[in-house]
Amino acid sequence: MRFEEFAAAHGLVLKHVEAGRWVRCPTDDKPGKRNGAYFYDGDYAHVQNWATMPNAETWFLDKPMAPCDRESMQKRMEASRNAHAQERQKAQQAAAKKAEAVLHQSKIEQHAYLDGKGFPDAKGMIYRPDETTNLLVIPMRVGKRVVGCQLIDRDGGKKFLFGQRCSGAEYVINGRGVDIWCEGYATGLSISAVMAAAKARCCIHVCFSAGNMEAMAKAAGRGFVVADNDISGAGEKAAKGTGLPYFMPPDLGTDFNDYHKAYGLFSASQAMRKFLQQQ
């Protein structure tokens, strides 16, 4: 397999290949950002999607090598891995510090995004970086430690802090009961409302991406998934990859928040109750 094919298989979007240094690049899941990184050396390369891959994956050129050449390559590989690890650690530390500052400067208020998602009375942490901007802040934690945050504008535009850790990070809603795994914050709010109407206790894990949801739910090995019904099929594929039962809204191109808004609380809770009875 050529390096370009290997990178594409791991979600990296490459327009051209640079050698000898770590290069940031877009990814399939975040084409407008530079969440991907690669290091290309000719004989080998490392690739990583910072949002979904906890560690870099390595590609090797398929050719015979003399023992001395292989030893030299191993030394170069180790040096490039160390350089990448140091860069990631610094970026993650800076992002975590920035997230703490953002949360400290935020106030609990209503937000247009929550209104648009069917929760006009809901409040969240609102960050105002300037006089005209207000962003809904969703803390992202690994365990109890804040590692970053998702920032959502009035129109639903979402972004993470530069360099932050996303793999293994989550936002937990409620905290007691059956574990439910999902991608988005609005989806989590709808699940919470529907489960309350169904009189079922739950611990909702908002994982922020299909890949992270799959990895976290699979590692936990308990509960069930509420998947997005993506046109691409990515949500259902991730749900199946967890090995857990999953509920998915019937309409293509929708998530559970869309389903909740379209069909109403009663119908959504009845559908969820029926799903739970079948488990």
Side-chain angles (χ1 to χ4, degrees), residues 240-260:
K240 289 180 176 179
T242 68
L244 299 175
Y246 67 93
F247 179 97
M248 188 172 70
D251 300 325
L252 189 63
T254 65
D255 58 26
F256 192 76
N257 176 255
D258 298 319
Y259 179 73
H260 176 202

Side-chain angles (χ1 to χ4, degrees), residues 151-167:
L151 303 173
I152 307 177
D153 65 27
R154 299 182 185 93
D155 300 319
K158 302 172 184 176
K159 66 178 183 179
F160 301 116
L161 299 180
F162 178 81
Q164 76 165 66
R165 175 179 175 178
C166 293
S167 176

Side-chain angles (χ1 to χ4, degrees), residues 1-251:
M1 179 185 292
R2 296 169 55 246
F3 167 64
E4 291 82 354
E5 296 170 335
F6 182 84
H10 288 80
L12 273 64
V13 178
L14 306 184
K15 293 183 178 180
H16 60 277
V17 178
E18 298 182 39
R21 67 182 185 91
W22 279 97
V23 180
R24 299 290 299 274
C25 64
T27 57
D28 288 337
D29 57 326
K30 297 290 181 183
K33 307 294 181 181
R34 293 191 301 154
N35 279 357
Y38 70 88
F39 183 96
Y40 179 75
D41 184 78
D43 293 330
Y44 72 92
H46 306 302
V47 301
Q48 186 169 9
N49 181 336
W50 284 6
T52 61
M53 297 169 61
N55 299 298
E57 296 289 338
T58 302
W59 166 88
F60 295 97
L61 183 64
D62 186 16
K63 71 172 186 178
M65 298 183 69
C68 59
D69 293 333
R70 185 169 298 278
E71 181 179 356
S72 174
M73 183 184 72
Q74 292 291 342
K75 290 180 179 179
R76 298 197 310 273
M77 285 176 57
E78 186 66 23
S80 59
R81 283 198 192 101
N82 289 339
H84 182 50
Q86 291 173 5
E87 178 187 353
R88 290 290 291 127
Q89 185 178 29
K90 289 180 181 179
Q92 289 176 355
Q93 290 173 344
K97 186 176 181 179
K98 173 66 175 178
E100 292 282 8
V102 167
L103 289 168
H104 181 71
Q105 296 171 40
S106 298
K107 296 181 180 180
I108 298 177
E109 301 174 5
Q110 294 174 312
H111 193 263
Y113 174 76
L114 295 174
D115 188 9
K117 290 298 181 177
F119 299 96
D121 298 325
K123 295 182 178 181
M125 299 292 290
I126 308 302
Y127 174 57
R128 299 179 181 274
D130 55 56
E131 294 183 356
T132 61
T133 306
N134 64 340
L135 303 170
L136 177 64
V137 183
I138 315 301
M140 297 173 63
R141 291 181 169 87
V142 175
K144 296 183 179 181
R145 181 168 56 92
V146 173
V147 297
C149 58
Q150 185 179 58
L151 303 173
I152 307 177
D153 65 27
R154 299 182 185 93
D155 300 319
K158 302 172 184 176
K159 66 178 183 179
F160 301 116
L161 299 180
F162 178 81
Q164 76 165 66
R165 175 179 175 178
C166 293
S167 176
E170 63 180 351
Y171 178 79
V172 176
I173 300 174
N174 299 338
R176 289 186 176 183
V178 62
D179 289 283
I180 305 176
W181 309 86
C182 68
E183 291 186 47
Y185 178 63
T187 290
L189 293 179
S190 287
I191 295 170
S192 179
V194 166
M195 291 293 283
K199 294 181 169 45
R201 297 171 67 181
C202 61
C203 177
I204 302 164
H205 304 263
V206 177
C207 302
F208 301 98
S209 72
N212 192 43
M213 179 187 72
E214 179 180 355
M216 293 191 69
K218 185 175 182 179
R222 62 180 184 272
F224 67 92
V225 173
V226 176
D228 294 353
N229 191 349
D230 301 307
I231 295 174
S232 66
E236 185 172 22
K237 180 181 178 182
K240 289 180 176 179
T242 68
L244 299 175
Y246 67 93
F247 179 97
M248 188 172 70
D251 300 325

